[in-house]
Amino acid sequence: MSKAVDSLPFHLHQFIDQQNYAKYTPRDQAVWRYILKQNKDYFANKGFAVSEYANGLKLSGISLDAIPKIDKIDKALDTFGWGAVPVCGFIPPVAFLEFQSYGVLPIAHNIRSLEHIGYTPAPDIIHESAGHAPILVNDIYAEYLKKYARIAGKAISSKNFVRQYEAIRKLS
């Protein structure tokens, strides 16, 4: 485990799940490859992402060819003072932000279905890993995200927000 994951407070451990890599089907792997190759072309090659994105994919342990193992991402991000843990779908937004305030990226280990290849409202490994991890290699952004998470976690903590989160989770 990365130093960041080792430093997590105990109450966040309830949200950490196991990534069962054997459950990913050949179709899941094909969905990953299709989306990652499309995204790399669009974001990195056509300039719709910051310059660090393409290199950040490699540096964060993410390949275009196969769904990543989250423990590999965790080890790669350790170099940049971050870590990663697998979670199952939605976790409370306050918990998501608290993970980030400790320099840990929670990554939903489930993957979208072929029917939702273009978009899924639920968190999935494509969005969480390939969308967030590559830019964490930029130390200015990574530090900003930790600070943002500390502040935002306090700002959104309310009963109404928790009810809204529960409704979204059930609908997705």
Side-chain angles (χ1 to χ4, degrees), residues 87 89 96 100 105-108 122-134:
V87 297
F96 186 84
Q100 290 184 331
L105 179 64
I107 298 176
D124 79 329
I125 194 164
I126 296 168
H127 175 87
E128 303 298 334
S129 64
H132 293 288

Side-chain angles (χ1 to χ4, degrees), residues 14 17 39 49-50 58 61 66 69 72 80 96 112 119 122 137 157 166-167:
Q14 66 183 308
D17 201 17
N39 282 357
V50 294
K58 292 178 203 157
K69 293 184 178 179
K72 182 179 176 187
F80 306 97
F96 186 84
R112 65 190 68 183
Y119 172 77
V137 305
S157 189
E166 290 296 334

Side-chain angles (χ1 to χ4, degrees), residues 132-151:
H132 293 288
I135 196 61
L136 292 175
V137 305
N138 177 302
D139 58 338
I140 294 169
Y141 178 78
E143 191 56 36
Y144 161 79
L145 188 57
K146 286 179 189 177
K147 289 178 182 177
Y148 171 82
R150 282 186 213 114
I151 295 165

Side-chain angles (χ1 to χ4, degrees), residues 90-104:
F90 277 114
I91 62 172
V94 173
F96 186 84
L97 291 167
E98 190 172 0
F99 272 110
Q100 290 184 331
S101 75
Y102 283 97
V104 175

